[in-house]
Amino acid sequence: MNSFDTPDLSIVSPCFNEEDGLREYHRRVSATVAPLCIAYEIVLVDDGSRDRTWDIMQELAAEDPQVVCIKLSRNHGQQLALTAGLSACRGYRVLILDADLQDPPELLPQMMELMDQGAEVVYGQRRHRAGESRRKLFTSALFYRFINRLTDVRIPQDTGDFRIMSRRVLDLFLSMPERQRFVRGMISWLGFRQVPLLYDRDARFAGETKWGLKMLVKLAIDAVTSFSTRPLKIASLLGVAFGLASFALLGYALISWLFLGAVEGWTSLMMVTTMLGGIQLLVIGIQGEYLGRLFDQAKGRPLFMVDQVVGGGRLKAVEAPVLPARSAVPTLMTRQKAVPSAL
Ligand code: UDP
Ligand code: MG
C-alpha cells in the first residue's frame, strides 16, 4: 500500500497510560487484520500519557509502516482523543477500538461481514463483562438508564465506543462541531442502518480503568445536555409545581390568620424557605450546566492540539487530510502551527 492511498480500514485507538498493553494490542490487531488481505492503518492517539506509552508507540511505528501515532499536547480525555484519531484516519471503514483489549479485535471479520451486508455502523453490544467491579457494572447500568430516560436519542444499552462505521458516517460525525463529544451518542443520532453485534467483554489486558465515578458523571451530564433539553423542561415544571404549591400555602396562611388565630409557624416557614431555596438552586444549576456548555462552544477553541505525528510518512497526510467537512472540523494543529504568530 502506498501510504497516501486510502486504506480499506483504519483502526483508531485512544491511549492513556497503556504502556503495558500496547504491544499485545498491536500483536492481536495485526494478527486479526492480516488474514483479511486488506490495506489498513492503525491510528494510535497518545492522550498525554505520563508513562512510556509514546515511546512504545514510536517503536511500533518504526517496526510497522501500518502504524501511525499522534501525540496530543496534553490529556484531552478519551472522547477528544478519539476525535483526534478519527479526524486523522483515512480508511473507507473505521474501527474504534480501546487500547486495553477489553473489546476483542477478533470480532473484526464479523463486523466487516455485517458492513458488507449493508450496515453503515456495526456496534458491539456487551453480553457479559469479565473483570469489572460490581461498582463499575452498577454505575454503568445507571448511566445508560439515566441517559435513555432523559434524552431523545436511543443510545443502545451496554455499548461502548467499540464500533465500525463507514466513511460516510464518519464524515458526518466529523462535521458535528460540538465540544462536548459523546461519540457513541452522536453516531446513534446520525441514523442510517446501525446493527448490533453481541459479544462478551473481556477484562483489561493490563493497567487499570481511567474512568472513575467522577468522569462517568461528567460523561452522563455531557450526554444528557448535548442531546436533550428535557432537564430544562423539568426545571420549569418544578417551578410551576412549586408556584402552585406556594399559592395553596398562601391560601392556608390567610385562612389561619383570619379564622384560626394562627400560631407563628416557624416550622412551616423553615420548610418552605429551605425547600424553595433548594429547588431554586437546582433550577439555576441546570441552567448553568447548559450555559457553561454554550460558553465553551462559543469560545470556539480547537478541540485538541497535536504535538507530533509519527509513522508511515503520514505527517503530510495528517496536515491536509481529505475530509469534505474539514472547515467544520477543528483544525489539527501541528507543533509549528500551534505557535501564535505574534510571538
Ligand atoms: N483513554 C484516553 N484518555 C483518557 C482516558 C482513557 O485516551 O483520559 C483511553 C484508554 O487508554 C482506553 C480507552 O480510552 O484505550 C478506554 O478507557 P478505559 O479502559 O480506562 O475505560 P473503560 O474501559 O474502563 O470504560
Ligand atoms: Mg477499558
Side-chain angles (χ1 to χ4, degrees), residues 205-220:
F205 176 74
E208 52 191 46
T209 177
K210 284 101 200 171
W211 284 94
L213 188 60
K214 209 172 114 195
M215 280 168 79
L216 262 185
V217 170
K218 184 183 172 302
L219 190 69

Side-chain angles (χ1 to χ4, degrees), residues 98 100 102 201 204 209:
D98 280 358
D100 58 8
Q102 277 195 284
R201 192 163 210 231
R204 261 177 163 275
T209 177

Side-chain angles (χ1 to χ4, degrees), residues 316-338:
K316 209 168 150 207
V318 171
E319 274 185 313
V322 208
L323 290 178
R326 190 159 155 64
S327 58
V329 181
T331 38
L332 275 162
M333 297 173 77
T334 62
R335 194 194 282 171
Q336 297 82 354
K337 281 195 203 154

